[in-house]
Structure formats: structure tokens, C-alpha cells
Amino acid sequence: MFAVCGCGRPLPQPQNVLVYGRGGESDQLDPIHVDTGESVKVIVNLYDTLIAYADDSTQLVPGLATSWKVSDDGLTWTFQLREGVRFHDGTPCDADAVVFTFERLIVPNHPGVFDPLIPYAPDFATIAEVKAVAPLVVEFRLKEPSAVFEANLAMFPASIVSPTAVKRHGRSFGVNPVGTGPFKFVRWVRQQELVLEANAEHWRGRPQIDRVVFVPVKEPAVRVKQLDRGEIHLADDLPPAELDALASHPGIRLQEVPGINIGYLAINADKPPLDNLQVREAIWHAINKARFIDVCYAGHAQAALTPVPPTLWGSHPGLKDRAFDVAKAKALIEQAASEASFQLPLTLDLFVMATPRPYLQQPQEAAAFIKEQLRAIGLELRIVTSETSLHFKRLTGGEHQLALAGWSSDNTDPDNFLYQLLDSDNINDRGGNNICRYRNATVHELLLAAKRERDLDRRKELYFQAQEQIFADAPMVPLVHTTTRIAQRVELQGYRLHPTALAWLREAHFLRAAP
């Protein structure tokens, strides 16, 4: 929490403490139960995974596993674990801990699971068995060969947790997290501060920062002022125009990387008349994406027409977008109304999150824009705003008709976008990410085949076919792929914005004493 003097000004912060100003609050910090960025940016600093990303690329490198091998049939994966690693509670990170971690993801009614919400469970359903074959050797047996298994092990849901801490804290483990990561959990006062401290025993060496304080500041303008005054050192998810202005401020510098993300308008096909293709196509034709990018992103985005961003291999290069055409949109929806017997104007709910995300830095402005666009074709939208964690809980439960949502890459594989967002396996009320409720048997089989296929060219072709069918069905309106940008104090050094946009803070340090 910021201390304040009698004059109302914040007191100077302790030296060597990084204050991270963010737009919202974490939900919880148990890796298997979350899928929102505000939780993930903390989780990746508390835990390690068997396989990691390189510091400056999406190349997979050793993490808690120093090496691994796969059998000729692709079904057995064997991992050699790093020696001497301990959890923050002092217990050993060994093969038994890895088995416990993954059994929480794959074993029904596991005694170490206290919440049915496990959003990424389908990504690990290919694991038939995981066992400790030696104190530092773990073997995974798969149900079928998988081209994405290796990449999935680098995702945050596969973070290795302390079995002792899970058993000790039970349902409250999510607010008493214990991993092996470069920072250890200290305390959490919701809506005020979440504090981590350096792990002096981390296997990659002690971080140079003594503490990290995550501070939720909902209003972007307030975060900008705090950054200018040196009260915070990092600020993310700021409006593009604010970032452009900050570029000229002394003491501030910007970082940016091409985003691996998608911002989209979800259309819930379980709610008539949105199950009608003509209605979905009409919505698509009614949205001026170029104007949307100017108004809501100050030009710092590109129009999307498939969920897979062009920065990622497997994005379909040959699709041609539906044109912005209000007359065509009106004709489509009027025809649908006459055939399906619904009346225009039609009122629909548009769900939107209250706090910014990397793919949606100005959610309320974006919702207002979509509302105005769809009014022109006889759709009246009621904007329903919720805090981010509740927003996505409501979406996975299927409460919405329309919703503004998005996705940032977890593992730089097209599977992470197409299977997560649009496969029927991910429709459920416990955290499934297919909030469009899209079901297509052909797409399902293509995506499963692409998971199994080890030949990269063949995988691309399968993903191209899936994207062609998805485009034809229009279960969502892909809106934008954004550039990921952050603002930081110039005295903060060593922190590099990663291509995945995950906030790894291990290398951060101060050029001089923090203000």
C-alpha cells in the first residue's frame, strides 16, 4: 500500500522495490484455476515450468527439466529434473511434485483440487499417466502422439506447485501460492497491493530487485500521473493515445513488440437468432474495422479476419475479409428476420470487461463503438459491464449474447487460438474458452488431427482448412491484432517486454535508486 504524508503526497518508496501499476486485480494465484492476464502476470514470477521460453524469443528451453526425450512412437516423454531446486516453503521440487502437479490437471476429483474451474484441462487431456520413475525423473505417457504437448508444458497452467502447500492450505492455496519461481509471495491486500520478494535460492540466481509490488489502478489517467511522478515504475494496458503522449515525457520510455493476440466480438450461437448465419454475417458486415482501429487504438492495431495472428505461423494468408457494407448487412438481417420470425429493431446484450486488456485497452469506448455500428442495422445493444474475472466467468457460463473478448498467446502455437477458442471440447460451464459456443464437427476433427500431426507443413494445411470453415461459419467477428506496448521509468533497466507479453521480472533492476 502507498504511504501518504499529511499533505496528501505519496511518501518516497523504499529503494530497490519495483512498483507495477496495472489496470485490474488478480483473481487468484493457483495456476490451474485462472485464465486472466492480471493473475498470469503474477503467476509467471511465482512459479517455474518444466520447459520455459528463452528470455528474448519464443524458443523453448530447459526450465525445471534440464533435458527430455520422446519415444519413437511419440507416446512416452521422459524428463530429467534439475537438482537441488526447492519450493519457497523449503520442500524439494522432485518427481513426486511434478506428478502431483499434473494429476491435479488430469485426474477427476483429485483431492488437491478445490474448484471445478480448470480452464486449460482440455490441453492436458492427452496425458494418460504421469509417474515418477526416479527421484528426479518423470515419465509422461500420452494417449496419442501430440505435436503441442511440448509447447503446452511451457504454459502457465503447467507451473509446478508445492504439494505440501496445496495440502496445507487447501481451498485457500490460490491466495497462499508456493512455487519455485524467482519471487516468493509475501502478502496480498485486495485492491491495494500484492507483494512478492526475491527468492535468493532461485536456480537461475537471485533477482536484483528486492521486492515487486503489484498495484491495481483502474483509471489509466491516474496510472499515467503515477508513472510521471515516479510512484510506479511500469504501467501496462494504457490507452494508445496516452502511450503516444508519454513517449515525449522525460524520464519515461516505451517498449513495444508485435502482439500475438486477437481482440474479437463473440457471438453466442446458443442464443437465437444468433444461431442464424445471416445474422452473424450481417453483424460482421456492419462493423467498420478501420474506423474501429482509429477510434479505439489510435491506429496501433491491424484488422483481423482469423483468430490466428499474422505474427504466428499457421495464420491463413489467403482469406479475404468481408467488406464493411451497411446496405448488405441490412439486407441480410432483414431477410433473416423475415425467415426466422423475429422483429427489428432487436435488443441484444453486449458484455464487456471493466478493465483494459492488451487486446482491448479501452473496453468502454470499444463497446460504445460497436453499439453505434450495430444500431444502423436494427440491433439495439445493452452494454453489460463486469470486472474482468466476473466478465469471463459469465462468458464461459454462456450468459451473454454478444461479448467483447480476446486472447493472448500462451504457447505460440495455432492450437492455442483455434482449439482453445473455437473447439467444441472447450464449451462448458466450468471455464471453457469457447465462449462463442461454436460447434462444427469438421473443424473439431481438423483441430484434433493437427494436434497429432508432427509434420509442420501438414499441420499448416490442417489449420488453413479449419480457418476457412471457421470464416465461412462466422462464429465471431475477429476485430484486431494489437501491438503490445508498455511504459516504464527510464531508471528501470533489464526488463524486456517478451514476445508473449508475459511479465517476467527476474532480470529487472534499477540504474539508480528508485524515486
Side-chain angles (χ1 to χ4, degrees):
M1 184 189 309
F2 286 117
V4 179
C5 69
C7 61
R9 293 192 300 271
L11 293 172
Q13 296 302 302
Q15 294 186 3
N16 212 28
V17 174
L18 191 163
V19 183
Y20 194 125
R22 54 186 181 150
E25 180 62 278
S26 299
D27 183 17
Q28 62 155 306
L29 301 173
D30 185 337
I32 70 170
H33 293 312
V34 303
D35 64 352
T36 58
E38 295 302 347
S39 294
V40 175
K41 67 182 60 167
V42 182
I43 282 171
V44 297
N45 290 288
L46 287 170
Y47 301 92
D48 293 310
T49 48
L50 294 179
I51 299 174
Y53 288 120
D55 288 341
D56 57 357
S57 74
T58 57
Q59 178 184 353
L60 297 177
V61 299
L64 290 175
T66 57
S67 62
W68 54 94
K69 60 183 179 180
V70 59
S71 61
D72 290 341
D73 63 4
L75 296 178
T76 303
W77 292 70
T78 306
F79 292 82
Q80 177 67 49
L81 302 184
R82 197 173 294 277
E83 293 185 12
V85 178
R86 290 190 172 272
F87 290 104
H88 302 150
D89 59 9
T91 58
C93 180
D94 55 15
D96 289 335
V98 174
V99 171
F100 179 87
T101 292
F102 282 93
E103 286 187 340
R104 294 178 77 222
L105 282 162
I106 66 172
V107 175
N109 303 313
H110 188 280
V113 175
F114 310 97
D115 184 340
L117 178 70
I118 307 178
Y120 287 80
D123 289 288
F124 300 94
T126 187
I127 300 173
E129 181 186 23
V130 54
K131 61 182 180 179
V133 297
L136 293 177
V137 180
V138 180
E139 181 180 281
F140 291 81
R141 183 73 178 172
L142 306 188
K143 299 172 185 176
E144 58 187 10
S146 172
V148 299
F149 177 65
E150 195 172 24
N152 283 350
L153 293 186
M155 296 197 304
F156 73 88
S159 297
I160 308 303
V161 301
S162 163
T164 301
V166 172
K167 293 171 185 175
R168 175 187 175 189
H169 294 290
R171 187 174 298 275
S172 66
F173 176 73
V175 293
N176 294 279
V178 178
T180 64
F183 292 92
K184 300 189 291 185
F185 178 77
V186 177
R187 66 176 177 272
W188 186 1
V189 182
R190 286 191 180 272
Q191 301 305 325
Q192 294 184 23
E193 63 175 10
L194 196 162
V195 182
L196 313 182
E197 68 180 8
N199 175 13
E201 308 302 322
H202 192 250
W203 54 271
R204 295 188 69 180
R206 184 194 189 281
Q208 296 186 55
I209 294 293
D210 292 335
R211 286 196 168 195
V212 178
V213 181
F214 291 93
V215 180
V217 184
K218 184 176 179 179
E219 293 299 327
V222 176
R223 278 185 289 149
V224 168
K225 290 178 181 177
Q226 290 176 331
L227 194 65
D228 253 342
R229 295 194 297 253
E231 296 165 13
I232 64 176
H233 305 108
L234 269 173
D236 60 10
D237 298 336
L238 291 172
E242 297 274 22
L243 282 165
D244 289 343
L246 279 170
S248 62
H249 288 212
I252 305 296
R253 72 183 182 96
L254 305 186
Q255 287 194 59
E256 68 177 80
V257 295
I260 310 177
N261 58 39
I262 174 70
Y264 64 95
L265 178 67
I267 305 173
N268 187 347
D270 280 351
K271 300 284 183 72
L274 301 175
D275 57 343
N276 186 312
L277 175 60
Q278 288 180 312
V279 173
R280 299 195 300 272
E281 286 187 315
I283 291 171
W284 191 313
H285 281 293
I287 297 173
N288 185 338
K289 293 181 187 179
R291 181 63 181 154
F292 181 66
I293 290 169
D294 286 341
V295 171
C296 299
Y297 297 87
H300 292 281
Q302 65 182 104
L305 68 154
T306 170
V308 184
T311 49
L312 193 63
W313 71 269
S315 182
H316 198 309
L319 293 177
K320 183 179 179 181
D321 205 354
R322 293 179 175 90
F324 168 58
D325 189 331
V326 175
K328 184 171 185 177
K330 283 182 177 179
L332 283 167
I333 203 158
E334 287 171 359
Q335 182 177 352
S338 65
E339 294 175 356
S341 299
F342 64 87
Q343 298 294 317
L344 293 173
L346 175 68
T347 300
L348 299 172
D349 288 335
L350 171 64
F351 281 44
V352 62
M353 71 282 286
T355 51
R357 307 300 312 128
Y359 47 77
L360 195 65
Q361 296 113 348
Q362 300 187 95
Q364 293 303 314
E365 290 84 349
F369 183 92
I370 298 297
K371 178 176 182 175
E372 188 64 27
Q373 296 274 281
L374 297 190
R375 176 176 288 150
I377 63 168
L379 299 180
E380 291 292 336
L381 303 189
R382 287 187 299 246
I383 296 176
V384 180
T385 303
S386 303
E387 290 300 325
T388 301
S389 59
L390 177 59
H391 172 71
F392 283 104
K393 182 178 181 180
R394 298 181 76 178
L395 299 192
T396 57
E399 292 184 32
H400 61 293
Q401 292 169 301
L402 302 175
L404 283 166
W407 193 257
S408 295
S409 175
D410 293 312
N411 67 6
T412 66
D413 193 289
D415 173 82
N416 188 238
F417 286 85
L418 297 173
Y419 179 74
Q420 276 287 346
L421 301 182
L422 291 167
D423 191 88
S424 53
D425 283 349
N426 285 305
I427 301 174
N428 61 70
D429 297 342
R430 303 181 308 280
N433 288 308
N434 182 353
I435 62 175
C436 300
R437 302 261 159 163
Y438 172 61
R439 300 169 179 86
N440 184 293
T442 299
V443 169
H444 178 65
E445 291 305 319
L446 286 168
L447 296 182
L448 292 184
K451 278 180 175 288
R452 295 187 293 264
E453 180 59 58
R454 304 296 293 272
D455 181 83
L456 186 61
D457 289 337
R458 177 58 184 154
R459 286 194 79 204
K460 284 183 181 178
E461 181 55 37
L462 291 167
Y463 285 133
F464 289 171
Q465 292 177 40
Q467 287 169 85
E468 289 166 6
Q469 185 61 58
I470 290 165
F471 181 85
D473 291 339
M476 62 163 66
V477 181
L479 295 171
V480 295
H481 305 292
T482 67
T483 300
T484 302
R485 301 198 295 167
I486 61 164
Q488 67 184 76
R489 298 289 305 177
V490 294
E491 60 266 24
L492 179 65
Q493 301 287 303
Y495 173 62
R496 288 176 288 184
L497 185 58
H498 196 265
T500 61
L502 294 173
W504 284 292
L505 301 172
R506 184 183 62 85
E507 295 286 348
H509 62 274
F510 288 109
L511 184 63
R512 58 182 182 274

